[in-house]
Amino acid sequence: MALAEIQHDYLALTRRRRLYGGLLVVIFVAMMVSGFRVADARNAGGFWQGLHQVGDFPAALVSEAVQKSANLPGHMIRALPALVETLNIALVATLLGCIAGTALSLAATRGLARWPRLVPVARRVSDICRAIPEIVIALVLIFILGGGPVPAVIAIAIHTAGAMGKLLSEVNENVDLKPVEGLASVGATWSQRIWLGVFPQVAPNYLSYGLLRLEVNIRASAILGFVGAGGIGYELRNAMTFGQGKFDQAAAIFLLLFMTIVVVDQISGLARNRLTHGATA
């Protein structure tokens, strides 16, 4: 009798789970459809009316690039200074953001924070920093400071600080506290406990996440160029704004940016594997 009741309860629970799952799917689909209809109604054109034109710009870009393929190397060479500026923006922003993120992560980790009462504050600061998109911060700073790389550096650094603060705090929570407790027992200060007991354990993960963030920031710095923050994105926007006749220049910048991102991804990927798994024999 007890077995029959258990089986009945189990089947009833399974039916309820299926019902709830089906309701969630229906609600999700309804929200997607209604959201799409609202967005399409507010759009300047119409999604379905303009769908057949989606491939027009890529086709024009590729055709003009093929026709003027001899000009592509020269355009790429002329875009190198802007690419260097983009890389500098990403490197400086990543460095500043990682330093700030490390401080936030240590302040937000229970058991390691110097002021435990400020742990919730540090976590909320980290949440706010990564919740605001870089482009929004950059637009505000461009309005205040004017166009250029400085607003891009500050915007990316703030977002990086929030993201790294979250990631690194999770790394900190997994450290072995025995070395920290041992250092505390012999009278080590908080900074000595962190430097000698925590950093040796987390350094590979810190560097790995930092390199991963550098990849993200290179793409972000290129995107911010579209709003006047300098770098290769600014050159790409100008080439695309002029339209037909300048598409070969836009194609050259696309190729240069693509090759740079691929190279950086490969180098940082190899470095992360070496840091986390060690050198292979």
Side-chain angles (χ1 to χ4, degrees), residues 193-204:
R193 296 197 299 270
I194 297 299
W195 183 256
L196 299 175
V198 176
F199 281 165
Q201 299 184 58
V202 300

Short mmCIF file of all heavy atoms in Angstrom, two decimals, residues 193-204:
data_model
loop_
_atom_site.label_atom_id
_atom_site.label_comp_id
_atom_site.label_asym_id
_atom_site.label_seq_id
_atom_site.Cartn_x
_atom_site.Cartn_y
_atom_site.Cartn_z
N ARG A 193 49.03 38.81 5.14
CA ARG A 193 48.25 37.57 4.97
C ARG A 193 47.75 37.44 3.54
O ARG A 193 47.77 36.35 2.96
CB ARG A 193 47.08 37.54 5.95
CG ARG A 193 47.49 37.50 7.42
CD ARG A 193 46.34 37.07 8.31
NE ARG A 193 45.20 37.97 8.24
CZ ARG A 193 45.02 39.02 9.02
NH1 ARG A 193 45.94 39.32 9.94
NH2 ARG A 193 43.95 39.77 8.92
N ILE A 194 47.30 38.56 2.97
CA ILE A 194 46.80 38.52 1.59
C ILE A 194 47.95 38.27 0.63
O ILE A 194 47.84 37.43 -0.29
CB ILE A 194 46.08 39.83 1.25
CG1 ILE A 194 44.84 40.02 2.14
CG2 ILE A 194 45.69 39.85 -0.22
CD1 ILE A 194 43.80 38.94 1.99
N TRP A 195 49.05 38.97 0.81
CA TRP A 195 50.17 38.88 -0.12
C TRP A 195 50.85 37.51 -0.09
O TRP A 195 51.21 36.97 -1.14
CB TRP A 195 51.19 39.98 0.19
CG TRP A 195 52.34 40.03 -0.76
CD1 TRP A 195 53.61 39.60 -0.54
CD2 TRP A 195 52.33 40.53 -2.10
NE1 TRP A 195 54.40 39.80 -1.64
CE2 TRP A 195 53.63 40.37 -2.63
CE3 TRP A 195 51.33 41.10 -2.90
CZ2 TRP A 195 53.96 40.76 -3.92
CZ3 TRP A 195 51.67 41.49 -4.19
CH2 TRP A 195 52.97 41.31 -4.68
N LEU A 196 50.99 36.95 1.12
CA LEU A 196 51.73 35.69 1.25
C LEU A 196 50.83 34.46 1.32
O LEU A 196 51.28 33.36 0.97
CB LEU A 196 52.61 35.74 2.52
CG LEU A 196 53.67 36.85 2.55
CD1 LEU A 196 54.37 36.86 3.90
CD2 LEU A 196 54.68 36.65 1.42
N GLY A 197 49.58 34.64 1.75
CA GLY A 197 48.72 33.48 1.92
C GLY A 197 47.65 33.31 0.87
O GLY A 197 47.20 32.19 0.62
N VAL A 198 47.25 34.42 0.21
CA VAL A 198 46.15 34.36 -0.77
C VAL A 198 46.66 34.47 -2.20
O VAL A 198 46.34 33.63 -3.05
CB VAL A 198 45.11 35.46 -0.48
CG1 VAL A 198 44.02 35.46 -1.55
CG2 VAL A 198 44.48 35.24 0.90
N PHE A 199 47.45 35.49 -2.47
CA PHE A 199 47.88 35.73 -3.85
C PHE A 199 48.63 34.55 -4.48
O PHE A 199 48.42 34.27 -5.67
CB PHE A 199 48.73 37.00 -3.92
CG PHE A 199 47.91 38.26 -3.91
CD1 PHE A 199 48.51 39.49 -3.66
CD2 PHE A 199 46.55 38.24 -4.16
CE1 PHE A 199 47.77 40.66 -3.66
CE2 PHE A 199 45.79 39.39 -4.17
CZ PHE A 199 46.40 40.61 -3.91
N PRO A 200 49.51 33.85 -3.75
CA PRO A 200 50.15 32.69 -4.39
C PRO A 200 49.16 31.63 -4.86
O PRO A 200 49.43 30.92 -5.83
CB PRO A 200 51.06 32.15 -3.29
CG PRO A 200 51.36 33.33 -2.43
CD PRO A 200 50.10 34.13 -2.43
N GLN A 201 48.00 31.52 -4.20
CA GLN A 201 47.00 30.53 -4.60
C GLN A 201 46.16 30.99 -5.80
O GLN A 201 45.77 30.18 -6.63
CB GLN A 201 46.06 30.24 -3.42
CG GLN A 201 46.74 29.67 -2.19
CD GLN A 201 45.71 29.33 -1.12
OE1 GLN A 201 44.79 28.55 -1.32
NE2 GLN A 201 45.87 29.95 0.04
N VAL A 202 45.88 32.29 -5.87
CA VAL A 202 44.93 32.78 -6.86
C VAL A 202 45.59 33.45 -8.06
O VAL A 202 44.89 33.80 -9.02
CB VAL A 202 43.95 33.78 -6.20
CG1 VAL A 202 43.18 33.12 -5.07
CG2 VAL A 202 44.69 35.02 -5.68
N ALA A 203 46.90 33.64 -8.03
CA ALA A 203 47.57 34.38 -9.10
C ALA A 203 47.31 33.81 -10.49
O ALA A 203 47.01 34.57 -11.43
CB ALA A 203 49.08 34.45 -8.84
N PRO A 204 47.40 32.48 -10.70
CA PRO A 204 47.10 31.97 -12.06
C PRO A 204 45.69 32.30 -12.54
O PRO A 204 45.50 32.69 -13.70
CB PRO A 204 47.31 30.45 -11.91
CG PRO A 204 48.23 30.30 -10.76
CD PRO A 204 47.88 31.40 -9.82
#
